[in-house]
mmCIF file of all heavy atoms in Angstrom:
data_model
loop_
_atom_site.group_PDB
_atom_site.id
_atom_site.type_symbol
_atom_site.label_atom_id
_atom_site.label_comp_id
_atom_site.label_asym_id
_atom_site.label_seq_id
_atom_site.Cartn_x
_atom_site.Cartn_y
_atom_site.Cartn_z
ATOM 1 N N PHE A 226 -13.975 8.224 -2.189
ATOM 2 C CA PHE A 226 -15.155 9.018 -1.893
ATOM 3 C C PHE A 226 -14.900 10.016 -0.773
ATOM 4 O O PHE A 226 -15.801 10.715 -0.335
ATOM 5 C CB PHE A 226 -16.353 8.123 -1.541
ATOM 6 C CG PHE A 226 -16.145 7.274 -0.321
ATOM 7 C CD1 PHE A 226 -16.433 7.753 0.952
ATOM 8 C CD2 PHE A 226 -15.678 5.978 -0.437
ATOM 9 C CE1 PHE A 226 -16.251 6.963 2.071
ATOM 10 C CE2 PHE A 226 -15.493 5.184 0.678
ATOM 11 C CZ PHE A 226 -15.779 5.669 1.931
ATOM 12 N N LEU A 227 -13.650 10.086 -0.304
ATOM 13 C CA LEU A 227 -13.272 11.097 0.679
ATOM 14 C C LEU A 227 -12.314 12.084 0.031
ATOM 15 O O LEU A 227 -11.392 11.686 -0.662
ATOM 16 C CB LEU A 227 -12.561 10.447 1.878
ATOM 17 C CG LEU A 227 -13.317 9.362 2.637
ATOM 18 C CD1 LEU A 227 -12.438 8.832 3.753
ATOM 19 C CD2 LEU A 227 -14.604 9.898 3.204
ATOM 20 N N PHE A 280 -14.329 -0.155 13.371
ATOM 21 C CA PHE A 280 -15.322 0.839 12.956
ATOM 22 C C PHE A 280 -16.058 1.459 14.134
ATOM 23 O O PHE A 280 -16.646 2.543 13.998
ATOM 24 C CB PHE A 280 -16.300 0.215 11.953
ATOM 25 C CG PHE A 280 -15.707 0.045 10.580
ATOM 26 C CD1 PHE A 280 -15.098 -1.143 10.216
ATOM 27 C CD2 PHE A 280 -15.728 1.088 9.672
ATOM 28 C CE1 PHE A 280 -14.541 -1.298 8.957
ATOM 29 C CE2 PHE A 280 -15.167 0.948 8.411
ATOM 30 C CZ PHE A 280 -14.569 -0.245 8.048
ATOM 31 N N LEU A 283 -15.044 4.851 14.850
ATOM 32 C CA LEU A 283 -15.606 5.875 13.974
ATOM 33 C C LEU A 283 -17.030 6.233 14.358
ATOM 34 O O LEU A 283 -17.693 6.990 13.650
ATOM 35 C CB LEU A 283 -15.597 5.384 12.518
ATOM 36 C CG LEU A 283 -14.215 5.166 11.887
ATOM 37 C CD1 LEU A 283 -14.354 4.435 10.564
ATOM 38 C CD2 LEU A 283 -13.520 6.494 11.675
ATOM 39 N N PRO A 304 -19.378 2.946 3.642
ATOM 40 C CA PRO A 304 -19.119 2.776 5.073
ATOM 41 C C PRO A 304 -18.867 4.107 5.758
ATOM 42 O O PRO A 304 -18.621 5.128 5.115
ATOM 43 C CB PRO A 304 -17.863 1.893 5.104
ATOM 44 C CG PRO A 304 -17.795 1.262 3.765
ATOM 45 C CD PRO A 304 -18.408 2.230 2.814
ATOM 46 N N ARG A 305 -18.930 4.099 7.085
ATOM 47 C CA ARG A 305 -18.673 5.305 7.864
ATOM 48 C C ARG A 305 -17.317 5.900 7.475
ATOM 49 O O ARG A 305 -16.307 5.190 7.450
ATOM 50 C CB ARG A 305 -18.688 4.955 9.355
ATOM 51 C CG ARG A 305 -18.558 6.140 10.298
ATOM 52 C CD ARG A 305 -19.756 7.061 10.194
ATOM 53 N NE ARG A 305 -20.991 6.416 10.596
ATOM 54 C CZ ARG A 305 -21.509 6.475 11.832
ATOM 55 N NH1 ARG A 305 -20.894 7.173 12.759
ATOM 56 N NH2 ARG A 305 -22.649 5.871 12.102
ATOM 57 N N ARG A 306 -17.313 7.190 7.156
ATOM 58 C CA ARG A 306 -16.087 7.791 6.660
ATOM 59 C C ARG A 306 -15.090 8.044 7.784
ATOM 60 O O ARG A 306 -15.457 8.212 8.947
ATOM 61 C CB ARG A 306 -16.385 9.089 5.909
ATOM 62 C CG ARG A 306 -16.896 10.230 6.760
ATOM 63 C CD ARG A 306 -16.936 11.499 5.918
ATOM 64 N NE ARG A 306 -17.325 12.657 6.711
ATOM 65 C CZ ARG A 306 -18.440 13.320 6.543
ATOM 66 N NH1 ARG A 306 -19.315 12.905 5.641
ATOM 67 N NH2 ARG A 306 -18.711 14.379 7.284
ATOM 68 N N TYR A 307 -13.848 8.099 7.403
ATOM 69 C CA TYR A 307 -12.747 8.359 8.324
ATOM 70 C C TYR A 307 -12.665 9.864 8.571
ATOM 71 O O TYR A 307 -12.898 10.661 7.661
ATOM 72 C CB TYR A 307 -11.442 7.862 7.702
ATOM 73 C CG TYR A 307 -10.336 7.556 8.680
ATOM 74 C CD1 TYR A 307 -10.205 6.293 9.241
ATOM 75 C CD2 TYR A 307 -9.397 8.529 9.031
ATOM 76 C CE1 TYR A 307 -9.170 6.003 10.116
ATOM 77 C CE2 TYR A 307 -8.367 8.247 9.912
ATOM 78 C CZ TYR A 307 -8.263 6.986 10.455
ATOM 79 O OH TYR A 307 -7.247 6.695 11.331
ATOM 80 N N SER A 316 -4.511 6.936 7.893
ATOM 81 C CA SER A 316 -5.713 6.090 7.823
ATOM 82 C C SER A 316 -5.494 4.772 7.096
ATOM 83 O O SER A 316 -6.451 4.149 6.623
ATOM 84 C CB SER A 316 -6.836 6.870 7.134
ATOM 85 O OG SER A 316 -6.434 7.298 5.837
ATOM 86 N N VAL A 317 -4.276 4.309 7.004
ATOM 87 C CA VAL A 317 -3.927 3.142 6.190
ATOM 88 C C VAL A 317 -4.749 1.909 6.567
ATOM 89 O O VAL A 317 -5.251 1.182 5.699
ATOM 90 C CB VAL A 317 -2.418 2.836 6.322
ATOM 91 C CG1 VAL A 317 -2.035 1.630 5.486
ATOM 92 C CG2 VAL A 317 -1.600 4.054 5.927
ATOM 93 N N GLU A 318 -4.893 1.661 7.880
ATOM 94 C CA GLU A 318 -5.605 0.444 8.308
ATOM 95 C C GLU A 318 -7.058 0.442 7.845
ATOM 96 O O GLU A 318 -7.640 -0.617 7.580
ATOM 97 C CB GLU A 318 -5.531 0.286 9.831
ATOM 98 C CG GLU A 318 -6.175 1.393 10.637
ATOM 99 C CD GLU A 318 -5.197 2.450 11.112
ATOM 100 O OE1 GLU A 318 -4.206 2.709 10.406
ATOM 101 O OE2 GLU A 318 -5.420 3.022 12.195
ATOM 102 N N TYR A 319 -7.648 1.630 7.748
ATOM 103 C CA TYR A 319 -9.035 1.777 7.308
ATOM 104 C C TYR A 319 -9.198 1.286 5.871
ATOM 105 O O TYR A 319 -10.107 0.507 5.552
ATOM 106 C CB TYR A 319 -9.418 3.247 7.434
ATOM 107 C CG TYR A 319 -10.754 3.660 6.854
ATOM 108 C CD1 TYR A 319 -11.931 3.405 7.543
ATOM 109 C CD2 TYR A 319 -10.819 4.350 5.650
ATOM 110 C CE1 TYR A 319 -13.157 3.831 7.036
ATOM 111 C CE2 TYR A 319 -12.037 4.786 5.136
ATOM 112 C CZ TYR A 319 -13.201 4.518 5.830
ATOM 113 O OH TYR A 319 -14.402 4.935 5.324
ATOM 114 N N TRP A 320 -8.310 1.703 4.990
ATOM 115 C CA TRP A 320 -8.404 1.343 3.576
ATOM 116 C C TRP A 320 -8.123 -0.139 3.353
ATOM 117 O O TRP A 320 -8.771 -0.780 2.515
ATOM 118 C CB TRP A 320 -7.450 2.202 2.752
ATOM 119 C CG TRP A 320 -7.689 3.667 2.941
ATOM 120 C CD1 TRP A 320 -6.985 4.524 3.748
ATOM 121 C CD2 TRP A 320 -8.730 4.457 2.360
ATOM 122 N NE1 TRP A 320 -7.514 5.791 3.691
ATOM 123 C CE2 TRP A 320 -8.594 5.781 2.848
ATOM 124 C CE3 TRP A 320 -9.763 4.176 1.474
ATOM 125 C CZ2 TRP A 320 -9.443 6.813 2.469
ATOM 126 C CZ3 TRP A 320 -10.612 5.206 1.091
ATOM 127 C CH2 TRP A 320 -10.452 6.501 1.586
ATOM 128 N N LEU A 321 -7.150 -0.683 4.084
ATOM 129 C CA LEU A 321 -6.847 -2.111 3.929
ATOM 130 C C LEU A 321 -8.001 -2.975 4.430
ATOM 131 O O LEU A 321 -8.333 -3.998 3.830
ATOM 132 C CB LEU A 321 -5.555 -2.459 4.674
ATOM 133 C CG LEU A 321 -4.269 -1.806 4.164
ATOM 134 C CD1 LEU A 321 -3.069 -2.301 4.964
ATOM 135 C CD2 LEU A 321 -4.047 -2.079 2.682
ATOM 136 N N THR A 322 -8.610 -2.569 5.529
ATOM 137 C CA THR A 322 -9.743 -3.323 6.069
ATOM 138 C C THR A 322 -10.912 -3.303 5.089
ATOM 139 O O THR A 322 -11.532 -4.342 4.809
ATOM 140 C CB THR A 322 -10.177 -2.743 7.426
ATOM 141 O OG1 THR A 322 -9.078 -2.782 8.341
ATOM 142 C CG2 THR A 322 -11.340 -3.538 8.012
ATOM 143 N N LEU A 323 -11.225 -2.129 4.557
ATOM 144 C CA LEU A 323 -12.308 -2.029 3.577
ATOM 145 C C LEU A 323 -12.022 -2.904 2.362
ATOM 146 O O LEU A 323 -12.927 -3.553 1.820
ATOM 147 C CB LEU A 323 -12.487 -0.584 3.132
ATOM 148 C CG LEU A 323 -13.282 0.345 4.048
ATOM 149 C CD1 LEU A 323 -13.326 1.754 3.447
ATOM 150 C CD2 LEU A 323 -14.691 -0.168 4.274
ATOM 151 N N ASP A 324 -10.776 -2.924 1.922
ATOM 152 C CA ASP A 324 -10.429 -3.711 0.738
ATOM 153 C C ASP A 324 -10.647 -5.202 0.983
ATOM 154 O O ASP A 324 -11.133 -5.915 0.099
ATOM 155 C CB ASP A 324 -8.974 -3.438 0.346
ATOM 156 C CG ASP A 324 -8.680 -3.841 -1.088
ATOM 157 O OD1 ASP A 324 -9.374 -3.346 -1.997
ATOM 158 O OD2 ASP A 324 -7.777 -4.661 -1.309
ATOM 159 N N PHE A 358 -7.656 -0.232 14.328
ATOM 160 C CA PHE A 358 -7.383 1.111 13.828
ATOM 161 C C PHE A 358 -6.490 1.840 14.833
ATOM 162 O O PHE A 358 -6.903 2.751 15.554
ATOM 163 C CB PHE A 358 -8.687 1.876 13.617
ATOM 164 C CG PHE A 358 -9.540 1.363 12.477
ATOM 165 C CD1 PHE A 358 -9.161 0.250 11.732
ATOM 166 C CD2 PHE A 358 -10.731 1.992 12.147
ATOM 167 C CE1 PHE A 358 -9.940 -0.226 10.684
ATOM 168 C CE2 PHE A 358 -11.518 1.533 11.097
ATOM 169 C CZ PHE A 358 -11.126 0.418 10.368
#
Side-chain angles (χ1 to χ4, degrees):
F226 62 87
L227 303 179
F280 285 93
L283 295 169
R305 185 65 63 94
R306 68 171 184 246
Y307 203 89
S316 57
V317 180
E318 62 263 32
Y319 172 78
W320 304 100
L321 295 183
T322 302
L323 279 179
D324 199 56
F358 291 2

